[in-house]
Amino acid sequence: MRRHDHRHCVRHVLAEVERVCATGNLNLTPQRRRVLEVLLESHAAIGAYDILRRLDQEGLGGQPPVVYRALDFLQKHGFVHKIEQLNAFVACMHPGEGHAPAFMICRKCRAVAECHIAPPRDLAPYASGAGFQVERVMIEAIGLCPACQA
């Protein structure tokens, strides 16, 4: 089984987000950075109120608008993804890259793995025929991760 160096991926993603923010003149405030760090500390989807509780426990404020504004900024710039099925968020493991992510979500532990796949080609003719312009395709597969299968 392949070992995962979680500290390395956290450092890598944070460095990439900082680079994108610096080159794009984006303001990565301490609150926004901490929300991203909370999401990066786990590969599981985390709800906004769970993030809020965590920040409150750390003495960083317990106001929902702070977390929601941070999540809006992070999502707008592609640093986090919203998992619609769970109404929760995960850090993007490929910030700064234009990509169409798909998510494999464990229904037991809420672990989320992000992968890249081409958007389904079968959708284009239907969308075009209906006069619909597709802006984003979100694929969320629900199942069991290897740990929960054991």
Side-chain angles (χ1 to χ4, degrees), residues 4 9-10 12-13 40 43 79 81 91-95 97 99 114:
H4 174 72
C9 77
V10 169
H12 171 74
V13 170
L40 283 167
H43 284 296
F79 305 141
H81 301 293
C92 177
M93 301 314 292
H94 307 281
E97 297 177 17
H99 63 283
E114 177 181 345

Side-chain angles (χ1 to χ4, degrees), residues 3 8 29 43-44 50 57 65 70 72 77 84 114 117 125 142:
R3 292 194 39 90
H8 172 73
T29 65
H43 284 296
D50 294 324
Q57 290 169 351
D72 285 345
H77 297 290
E84 301 293 338
E114 177 181 345
I117 62 172
I142 308 297

Side-chain angles (χ1 to χ4, degrees), residues 21-81:
C21 286
T23 59
N25 201 26
L26 303 173
N27 188 12
L28 185 63
T29 65
Q31 294 88 351
R32 292 170 177 169
R33 180 185 171 89
R34 185 61 193 132
V35 168
L36 179 59
E37 288 170 343
V38 168
L39 290 169
L40 283 167
E41 289 166 2
S42 169
H43 284 296
I46 302 173
Y49 276 91
D50 294 324
I51 297 168
L52 182 65
R53 273 192 293 281
R54 179 78 176 274
L55 296 181
D56 194 35
Q57 290 169 351
E58 296 173 4
L60 298 175
Q63 298 301 315
V66 171
V67 171
Y68 282 109
R69 281 194 298 268
L71 287 168
D72 285 345
F73 170 87
L74 295 168
Q75 190 176 10
K76 175 182 177 184
H77 297 290
F79 305 141
V80 304
H81 301 293

Side-chain angles (χ1 to χ4, degrees), residues 75 81-88 105 136 138 140:
Q75 190 176 10
H81 301 293
K82 184 172 184 182
I83 305 298
E84 301 293 338
Q85 180 75 24
L86 302 174
N87 193 27
I105 306 162
R136 181 173 62 110
M138 177 75 66
E140 298 179 358

